Amino acid sequence: MQPLRIFSVAFFLLTFSWTIALGQAVNEDLIIGKWKFVKATTGQTEIAFRYNGDPLLTFEKGGHWITEDTNPKYRQSGSWKIENNLLIRDPEVSGLGDIGSYARVIDKLTKTDLVFYAPDNGDRTFTFYFTKL
Protein backbone atom coordinates (compact mmCIF):
# COMPACT_ATOMS: atom_id res chain seq x y z
CA MET A 1 0.00 0.00 0.00
CA GLN A 2 2.94 2.33 0.71
CA PRO A 3 4.18 2.33 -2.93
CA LEU A 4 0.70 3.26 -4.13
CA ARG A 5 0.59 6.19 -1.70
CA ILE A 6 4.03 7.40 -2.81
CA PHE A 7 3.00 7.11 -6.45
CA SER A 8 -0.23 9.03 -5.78
CA VAL A 9 1.57 11.87 -4.00
CA ALA A 10 4.25 12.05 -6.72
CA PHE A 11 1.61 12.08 -9.46
CA PHE A 12 -0.32 14.86 -7.70
CA LEU A 13 2.80 17.01 -7.26
CA LEU A 14 3.85 16.51 -10.85
CA THR A 15 0.40 17.34 -12.17
CA PHE A 16 0.12 20.39 -9.91
CA SER A 17 3.52 21.79 -10.91
CA TRP A 18 2.81 21.15 -14.59
CA THR A 19 -0.52 22.98 -14.34
CA ILE A 20 1.16 25.96 -12.70
CA ALA A 21 3.86 26.06 -15.39
CA LEU A 22 1.29 25.98 -18.19
CA GLY A 23 -0.68 28.78 -16.58
CA GLN A 24 2.23 31.19 -16.44
CA ALA A 25 1.87 34.03 -18.91
CA VAL A 26 4.72 35.09 -21.18
CA ASN A 27 6.42 38.28 -20.03
CA GLU A 28 5.89 40.51 -23.09
CA ASP A 29 8.64 42.90 -22.00
CA LEU A 30 11.23 40.18 -22.64
CA ILE A 31 10.42 40.02 -26.35
CA ILE A 32 11.12 43.73 -26.94
CA GLY A 33 14.41 44.15 -28.79
CA LYS A 34 16.45 42.84 -31.69
CA TRP A 35 16.78 39.07 -32.17
CA LYS A 36 19.28 37.26 -34.40
CA PHE A 37 18.17 34.06 -36.11
CA VAL A 38 20.31 31.09 -35.01
CA LYS A 39 18.73 28.00 -36.56
CA ALA A 40 15.54 26.16 -37.39
CA THR A 41 14.71 22.53 -36.73
CA THR A 42 12.01 20.14 -37.77
CA GLY A 43 11.63 17.07 -35.61
CA GLN A 44 15.16 15.84 -34.92
CA THR A 45 16.56 17.51 -38.05
CA GLU A 46 18.38 20.83 -37.95
CA ILE A 47 17.75 23.00 -40.99
CA ALA A 48 20.88 24.41 -42.60
CA PHE A 49 21.33 28.18 -42.39
CA ARG A 50 20.83 29.15 -46.04
CA TYR A 51 20.76 32.92 -45.93
CA ASN A 52 23.39 35.27 -47.30
CA GLY A 53 22.82 37.83 -44.58
CA ASP A 54 22.15 37.84 -40.87
CA PRO A 55 18.37 37.72 -40.47
CA LEU A 56 17.20 39.91 -37.62
CA LEU A 57 13.75 40.09 -36.07
CA THR A 58 12.92 43.20 -34.04
CA PHE A 59 9.94 43.56 -31.73
CA GLU A 60 9.11 47.13 -30.71
CA LYS A 61 6.97 48.42 -27.89
CA GLY A 62 3.55 49.31 -29.18
CA GLY A 63 3.21 46.09 -31.15
CA HIS A 64 5.30 46.67 -34.29
CA TRP A 65 7.82 44.13 -35.67
CA ILE A 66 10.26 44.18 -38.56
CA THR A 67 12.64 41.69 -40.16
CA GLU A 68 15.94 42.70 -41.70
CA ASP A 69 17.79 40.59 -44.23
CA THR A 70 19.95 41.13 -47.28
CA ASN A 71 17.44 38.99 -49.20
CA PRO A 72 14.34 41.13 -49.95
CA LYS A 73 12.19 37.98 -49.85
CA TYR A 74 12.66 37.83 -46.06
CA ARG A 75 12.12 41.54 -45.29
CA GLN A 76 8.73 42.13 -43.69
CA SER A 77 7.07 44.21 -41.02
CA GLY A 78 3.74 44.37 -39.27
CA SER A 79 2.02 44.22 -35.91
CA TRP A 80 2.42 41.66 -33.14
CA LYS A 81 0.72 40.59 -29.92
CA ILE A 82 0.98 37.77 -27.43
CA GLU A 83 -2.13 35.86 -26.38
CA ASN A 84 -2.07 32.69 -24.28
CA ASN A 85 1.61 32.00 -25.03
CA LEU A 86 0.99 32.48 -28.75
CA LEU A 87 2.99 35.05 -30.67
CA ILE A 88 0.62 36.40 -33.31
CA ARG A 89 2.15 38.40 -36.14
CA ASP A 90 0.13 40.21 -38.76
CA PRO A 91 2.35 41.25 -41.68
CA GLU A 92 1.71 44.43 -43.60
CA VAL A 93 0.94 43.96 -47.28
CA SER A 94 4.24 43.74 -49.16
CA GLY A 95 5.65 42.52 -52.44
CA LEU A 96 4.90 39.02 -51.16
CA GLY A 97 1.20 39.79 -51.15
CA ASP A 98 -1.17 39.62 -48.21
CA ILE A 99 -0.24 36.47 -46.30
CA GLY A 100 -2.48 37.23 -43.32
CA SER A 101 -1.74 36.83 -39.63
CA TYR A 102 -0.13 33.72 -38.24
CA ALA A 103 0.54 32.34 -34.77
CA ARG A 104 3.64 30.73 -33.30
CA VAL A 105 3.76 28.90 -29.97
CA ILE A 106 6.36 30.45 -27.67
CA ASP A 107 8.40 27.57 -26.28
CA LYS A 108 11.04 29.68 -24.51
CA LEU A 109 11.44 33.40 -23.87
CA THR A 110 14.22 34.70 -21.64
CA LYS A 111 16.39 37.81 -21.65
CA THR A 112 18.70 36.10 -24.16
CA ASP A 113 16.76 33.33 -25.93
CA LEU A 114 13.59 33.14 -28.00
CA VAL A 115 12.28 29.82 -29.30
CA PHE A 116 8.95 29.44 -31.04
CA TYR A 117 7.36 26.92 -33.32
CA ALA A 118 4.62 26.69 -35.88
CA PRO A 119 1.69 24.67 -34.59
CA ASP A 120 1.60 21.27 -36.26
CA ASN A 121 -0.70 21.32 -39.26
CA GLY A 122 -0.23 17.67 -40.14
CA ASP A 123 3.03 18.28 -41.98
CA ARG A 124 6.31 19.09 -40.31
CA THR A 125 6.61 21.33 -37.26
CA PHE A 126 9.35 23.93 -37.58
CA THR A 127 11.01 25.37 -34.49
CA PHE A 128 12.90 28.66 -34.78
CA TYR A 129 15.74 29.71 -32.45
CA PHE A 130 16.86 33.29 -31.87
CA THR A 131 19.33 35.01 -29.57
CA LYS A 132 19.05 38.61 -28.40
CA LEU A 133 21.59 41.15 -29.58
Side-chain angles (χ1 to χ4, degrees):
M1 195 64 163
Q2 185 69 11
L4 181 58
R5 182 178 292 160
I6 291 171
F7 174 79
S8 297
V9 170
F11 180 77
F12 171 79
L13 291 174
L14 178 63
T15 304
F16 181 73
S17 63
W18 186 51
T19 303
I20 290 173
L22 288 177
Q24 293 176 346
V26 171
N27 181 349
E28 286 189 20
D29 293 335
L30 292 176
I31 205 167
I32 304 300
K34 191 171 280 201
W35 297 88
K36 180 179 179 180
F37 176 78
V38 176
K39 67 180 178 179
T41 60
T42 178
Q44 299 297 321
T45 306
E46 190 167 308
I47 307 299
F49 186 81
R50 296 178 195 243
Y51 302 110
N52 293 329
D54 285 329
L56 301 174
L57 176 58
T58 302
F59 293 97
E60 300 171 347
K61 283 190 183 266
H64 186 260
W65 64 271
I66 186 168
T67 56
E68 302 171 50
D69 195 291
T70 54
N71 185 337
K73 178 180 177 182
Y74 299 108
R75 289 185 217 144
Q76 293 180 340
S77 63
S79 61
W80 68 271
K81 63 183 173 180
I82 294 178
E83 291 181 355
N84 301 323
N85 294 357
L86 289 177
L87 170 61
I88 302 168
R89 292 194 291 167
D90 190 10
E92 296 166 347
V93 176
S94 66
L96 301 174
D98 186 10
I99 58 176
S101 67
Y102 51 92
R104 301 291 183 252
V105 178
I106 297 174
D107 191 45
K108 180 179 182 182
L109 178 57
T110 67
K111 291 180 181 180
T112 58
D113 297 303
L114 170 60
V115 179
F116 56 78
Y117 61 91
D120 191 358
N121 61 3
D123 295 326
R124 295 186 284 177
T125 299
F126 289 91
T127 303
F128 303 92
Y129 298 80
F130 293 83
T131 188
K132 197 171 226 178
L133 295 178

